[in-house]
Amino acid sequence: MSNTESQKLMVEWHSINWRKLERSVYKLQKRIYQASARGDVKAYRRLQKTLMKSWSARALAVRRVTQDNQGKKTAGVDGVKSLTPKQRVELTGNLNLGTKVSPTRRVWIPKPGTEEKRPLGIPTMKDRALQALVKLALEPEWEARFEPNSYGFRTGRSCQDAIEAIFLAIRAKPKFLLDADISKCFDRINQEALLRKLNTSPTIRRQIRAWLKAGVMDGKQLFPTSQGTPQGGVISPLLANIALHGMEERIKQFADTLPRKNGSSKRDNRRSLSLIRYADDFVILHEDLTVVQRCREIISEWL
């Protein structure tokens, strides 16, 4: 069905059956997840393309950024704060990858518990909706691959899950703990390395690269963005998780090289050393202090 046909059939925004749209998008996402889990690149790329072209996914992406999200009233560089139902329908029809990207607008927000302020880059309404659409397609592919102990900004996972993972790691015996966070994590991500790691279709790759390179307007001045992902974008938490994916596996590889204690197996060694991550905060737990200190060096090199 062509765009114009679907818009002719298109009813008023407030009378859309959202449950039906969510179900059809969820079915596609489930198939992307399954294809990614079995390593079928061809299948999940085809499904991602289908998802991003579907009217349901585009309408949901627009709804998410214009109605559901907390920051929906914050304007980007275009000054648009909200859309009428008619404009939402129009935006849904015009939501296509490959359109020109606008720079983000810098907003400074207070950092809880400190005097510092944190910069947010607020994209325009159209870019936000596009990011939400790309996220709908990319998230299930990566959810199938993400590591078991990464808990930040993931569907169906919360801070409490990370707390439980730590509790389970220290319940049986006392352990040393390295509590760390990656300084200026979002701002320092290497963009080229991230794009290589994404290893996605050329269309999505071009679009994400355009967002990363869009620049940021602070007041009336435009600053280039040659590294990092813009905090404030819908897709940024997912990109940060992708950039940090592999940390836990690196630590488990080190666990394999540790000497085995009386009768313990390789699996026991892997179990005894844990890395639990929530966004850019993580802890490393092991009963031997020297192992924890060595892990710190390994993670620094890995980063």
Side-chain angles (χ1 to χ4, degrees):
M1 191 194 302
S2 76
N3 254 356
T4 43
E5 282 173 320
S6 63
Q7 270 166 318
K8 276 177 196 164
L9 293 172
M10 178 48 209
V11 280
E12 291 292 313
W13 183 260
H14 54 76
S15 59
I16 293 173
N17 181 348
W18 292 108
R19 289 288 298 278
K20 191 177 167 192
L21 263 59
E22 276 164 6
R23 266 202 305 273
S24 79
V25 169
Y26 179 71
K27 273 183 187 164
L28 267 174
Q29 285 186 309
K30 197 169 161 186
R31 287 172 65 195
I32 293 170
Y33 180 91
Q34 288 163 339
S36 176
R38 64 173 188 268
D40 190 343
V41 180
K42 221 171 174 177
Y44 69 69
R45 287 206 177 157
R46 191 186 68 244
L47 290 162
Q48 283 172 332
K49 205 171 171 182
T50 311
L51 180 112
M52 289 190 299
K53 284 190 169 167
S54 80
W55 201 91
S56 309
R58 295 196 318 227
L60 277 175
V62 170
R63 181 187 170 183
R64 195 151 293 167
V65 300
T66 57
Q67 286 173 285
D68 301 347
N69 283 3
Q70 276 184 323
K72 58 180 183 278
K73 290 276 186 248
T74 319
V77 290
D78 56 356
V80 177
K81 276 189 179 177
S82 59
L83 299 179
T84 63
K86 188 166 178 278
Q87 287 170 319
R88 286 178 204 146
V89 174
E90 276 169 21
L91 179 56
T92 305
N94 299 330
L95 214 54
N96 297 311
L97 292 189
T99 40
K100 199 172 179 311
V101 169
S102 311
T104 57
R105 182 172 77 92
R106 174 142 300 163
V107 175
W108 294 89
I109 59 161
K111 225 175 177 179
T114 60
E115 293 289 297
E116 270 184 85
K117 289 200 165 187
R118 170 184 294 173
L120 285 191
I122 309 293
T124 61
M125 201 66 90
K126 184 170 186 179
D127 281 331
R128 264 181 270 179
L130 257 181
Q131 286 187 14
L133 181 63
V134 171
K135 188 181 174 207
L136 284 174
L138 279 183
E139 200 165 39
E141 175 203 331
W142 280 90
E143 275 298 327
R145 285 188 234 168
F146 276 150
E147 295 168 316
N149 283 311
S150 130
Y151 295 96
F153 306 120
R154 286 182 63 188
T155 315
R157 288 174 170 235
S158 69
C159 200
Q160 277 70 25
D161 296 317
I163 294 169
E164 185 189 14
I166 294 171
F167 170 73
L168 293 174
I170 59 178
R171 182 178 57 172
K173 55 169 77 169
K175 290 185 177 177
F176 287 98
L177 175 145
L178 167 74
D179 174 18
D181 85 325
I182 302 158
S183 68
K184 304 262 191 303
C185 172
F186 279 85
D187 307 335
R188 296 213 184 131
I189 288 170
N190 179 327
Q191 294 178 349
E192 293 310 313
L194 173 63
L195 289 166
R196 275 198 302 279
K197 200 168 186 181
L198 260 171
N199 188 18
T200 183
S201 67
T203 329
I204 299 180
R205 185 192 162 90
R206 272 197 301 272
Q207 188 64 60
I208 290 178
R209 169 180 251 132
W211 284 324
L212 292 174
K213 304 277 183 205
V216 59
M217 289 288 282
D218 198 344
K220 296 232 166 101
Q221 215 175 342
L222 178 65
F223 295 95
T225 43
S226 54
Q227 56 175 18
T229 66
Q231 268 178 287
V234 179
I235 204 170
S236 295
L238 175 65
L239 293 179
N241 268 339
I242 292 171
L244 296 176
H245 172 67
M247 251 167 109
E248 192 181 343
E249 185 45 43
R250 179 66 193 90
I251 286 296
K252 296 293 183 192
Q253 283 166 5
F254 170 59
D256 293 341
T257 65
L258 294 173
R260 293 180 202 169
K261 288 184 183 163
N262 40 14
S264 69
S265 67
K266 189 173 172 179
R267 194 172 166 194
D268 294 330
N269 265 6
R270 278 191 156 227
R271 257 196 210 140
S272 67
L273 180 57
S274 334
L275 182 142
I276 295 155
R277 180 172 72 79
Y278 189 94
D280 59 350
D281 289 286
F282 64 92
V283 294
I284 292 173
L285 302 141
H286 194 266
E287 62 209 63
D288 185 343
L289 181 59
T290 49
V291 171
V292 174
Q293 286 167 333
R294 180 71 190 108
C295 284
R296 181 184 171 167
E297 292 162 24
I298 288 169
I299 289 296
S300 294
E301 283 163 31
W302 185 87
L303 287 167

